[in-house]
Amino acid sequence: MWKIRFALAVLASLLLPTREALACATCACGDPTLTSMGTEQPFAGRLRLATQVRAWSLASGEPRVDNLDLRELRMDLSVAYAPVPWLFLSVMAPLQARTVQDVSLAREGGWGLGDMELGARFFLFRDREFSANHLVSVLAGSRLPTSVTQTARGLPLSLDAQLGTGSWDPFLGLSYTAYAGDWSFIASATGYLPTRGREGFRAGASVLSTLAAQFQPSPSWALRLAVDGRVEGESNQAGVRDEVGSGAIAYVSPDVLFSPVTDVVLQLGVRVPVFNQLRGNVRPTPILQAALVHDL
């Protein structure tokens, strides 16, 4: 009897479709590294869904003179798809709730859709087709003028309370990723060149950069530490220059990544400002963030 059972088991294993071994994203790319959205290894047909929630606030100006307090809760909904191994296409739609309070304690707020973002990541170099140790990619795309400009009652929002600039903002970036056993490293920089948007407002050109190291001692969790920086030029409204918010700022960003089940990654972290050279006496608070990524 045991010989018959053994023969049936062998036959069943041979009849199982081999693609079941590639059912998860880790198997398909040969890389067990837990990754946040935008840092994954590509393979044809990879589809990722993600949501990220961030809570932050800042104050600017002089207290009791021209102080302005801004608070925002934001949820980014993202979809990324790789039609071929060297290309990732992505769409991101932000849902935002923002309140602004000036020195007179007058308050206004807006909520709804922010400026959507379309992007394409081109992988220019990978040292191996399966489980690459080195990846170099270029990111190109644009923000879209889709943000809300009115309150729920249909009243116009001030520029500070609006959920975006309402302009086409093209961007271009370069990224390098290295994998070394339990460790992985990321270096990236992305430049934005905003166009003129609503009410003649044009945001300043900016560069966002990230240096990150990740240690993953287990298939189910990892620790990540990053330094995120931003350099931004002066904005302009109808020909009048405004230096408030321009300058440079850097954050230290510790994160924990956890995979409760296959193809699902939960990321929890905080971005703490450690270097602030923003003009206009801008005082940001730490940014709390949580993200959930699912491979289909």
Side-chain angles (χ1 to χ4, degrees), residues 88-112:
F88 248 115
L89 303 175
S90 62
V91 179
M92 186 275 290
L95 302 177
Q96 300 165 243
R98 174 180 292 191
T99 60
V100 175
Q101 180 175 292
D102 62 24
V103 69
S104 69
L105 301 184
R107 178 180 297 184
E108 64 174 330
W111 65 274

Side-chain angles (χ1 to χ4, degrees), residues 109-147:
W111 65 274
L113 181 65
D115 286 340
M116 295 180 62
E117 192 172 286
L118 300 178
R121 183 177 297 276
F122 303 89
F123 291 85
L124 304 181
F125 171 80
R126 57 187 305 167
D127 59 337
R128 295 189 298 181
E129 287 299 320
F130 190 72
S131 187
N133 290 324
H134 302 277
L135 287 172
V136 177
S137 62
V138 168
L139 176 66
S142 180
R143 288 175 181 158
L144 311 180
T146 58
S147 55

Side-chain angles (χ1 to χ4, degrees), residues 4 6 10 13 17-18 33 40 54 83 90 94 97 129 152 164 170 195 197 238-239 280 284:
I4 296 176
F6 177 78
V10 171
S13 66
T18 56
T33 304
E40 58 280 303
R54 284 177 286 175
S90 62
E129 287 299 320
T195 60

Side-chain angles (χ1 to χ4, degrees), residues 8 37 89 120 145 157 166 177 194 247:
L8 291 175
M37 197 70 160
L89 303 175
L157 291 167
T177 307

